[in-house]
Amino acid sequence: DEFDFVASPPARPSIPRHPKLPPAEMAQRQGGMQLESLSPQQLQGLSEQLESDVNQLTESLANLQKAVARYHTSGRALEAMEEETEGKDMLVPLTSSLYVPGKLGSVDKVLLDVGTGYFVEKSPADGVDYCKRKVGLVRDNMEKLIEVISTKRKQATQVQQVFAMKMQAMEAAQAKQNEVGA
């Protein structure tokens, strides 16, 4: 059973194992490994590394889901702006819980935050289009991330199964030794 961490690893010369590297990094450097050849301690370390990876990736997925929600909210707000008129009274958010009274300025142009402190002036319709494209892009990234998480979970399951088999074999050997010694 080859346990492959890297999809289609490139052909490369054999890299000697470095005793200080964690098992997951050894696997990545070698493009795969025989799980059965690892000690229980190495398997446990590899399992912990995979679980840590899954947790970090799951957190990233949650952040992407929040981004999709923000783009949806922005798109809906832009669509609603098409019905508004200049000079309408409104509340302007200064923070998430602090608002000041204001009046709606031009309804023909909006400023879109495109990241890292940059803003782009667009029409509300172009803003809606921008939000829809960003939702599509983020959803594509989410799908890719979900595939990676699924792969990591399968790998963790494989590692845990091999670990359990090794532990059973060790317990059986210990029981046999106790019978012979008694």
Side-chain angles (χ1 to χ4, degrees):
D1 255 11
E2 176 122 324
F3 188 75
D4 211 6
F5 278 92
V6 182
S8 305
R12 57 184 150 188
S14 178
I15 300 171
R17 288 189 181 199
H18 190 286
K20 302 265 187 214
L21 291 178
E25 191 166 328
M26 282 192 290
Q28 287 174 341
R29 285 188 177 201
Q30 292 178 333
M33 75 167 90
Q34 293 291 328
L35 287 178
E36 291 80 13
S37 67
L38 296 178
S39 70
Q41 293 82 5
Q42 289 173 314
L43 288 168
Q44 191 170 18
L46 182 56
S47 179
E48 289 169 3
Q49 177 65 46
L50 289 167
E51 288 300 322
S52 173
D53 290 350
V54 166
N55 290 339
Q56 288 175 345
L57 293 170
T58 302
E59 189 175 313
S60 295
L61 182 63
N63 289 334
L64 290 176
Q65 289 169 330
K66 289 175 188 174
V68 165
R70 283 193 306 269
Y71 283 119
H72 272 293
T73 301
S74 297
R76 284 193 304 271
L78 287 168
E79 287 172 341
M81 257 192 75
E82 293 174 357
E83 300 168 10
E84 298 298 334
T85 57
E86 197 170 320
K88 179 182 177 186
D89 288 334
M90 61 183 300
L91 292 175
V92 179
L94 295 180
T95 69
S96 61
S97 60
L98 178 64
Y99 297 83
V100 294
K103 292 195 182 293
L104 185 59
S106 171
V107 292
D108 300 334
K109 303 264 187 224
V110 295
L111 289 177
L112 297 175
D113 182 354
V114 293
T116 62
Y118 289 95
F119 293 84
V120 176
E121 188 174 274
K122 298 261 186 191
S123 71
D126 288 343
V128 169
D129 182 54
Y130 172 82
C131 290
K132 286 179 180 176
R133 283 181 295 151
K134 290 301 272 188
V135 165
L137 178 68
V138 173
R139 282 197 173 143
D140 289 345
N141 287 334
M142 287 173 63
E143 288 174 15
K144 292 174 188 171
L145 193 54
I146 288 169
E147 289 176 24
V148 172
I149 290 169
S150 175
T151 299
K152 291 276 185 185
R153 283 188 174 139
K154 287 176 187 171
Q155 291 171 343
T157 300
Q158 284 181 314
V159 169
Q160 290 164 357
Q161 288 172 345
V162 172
F163 178 78
M165 288 185 335
K166 284 203 176 240
M167 293 308 290
Q168 286 175 348
M170 287 173 57
E171 289 170 4
Q174 183 68 35
K176 202 176 240 187
Q177 187 178 23
N178 288 343
E179 286 176 11
V180 171

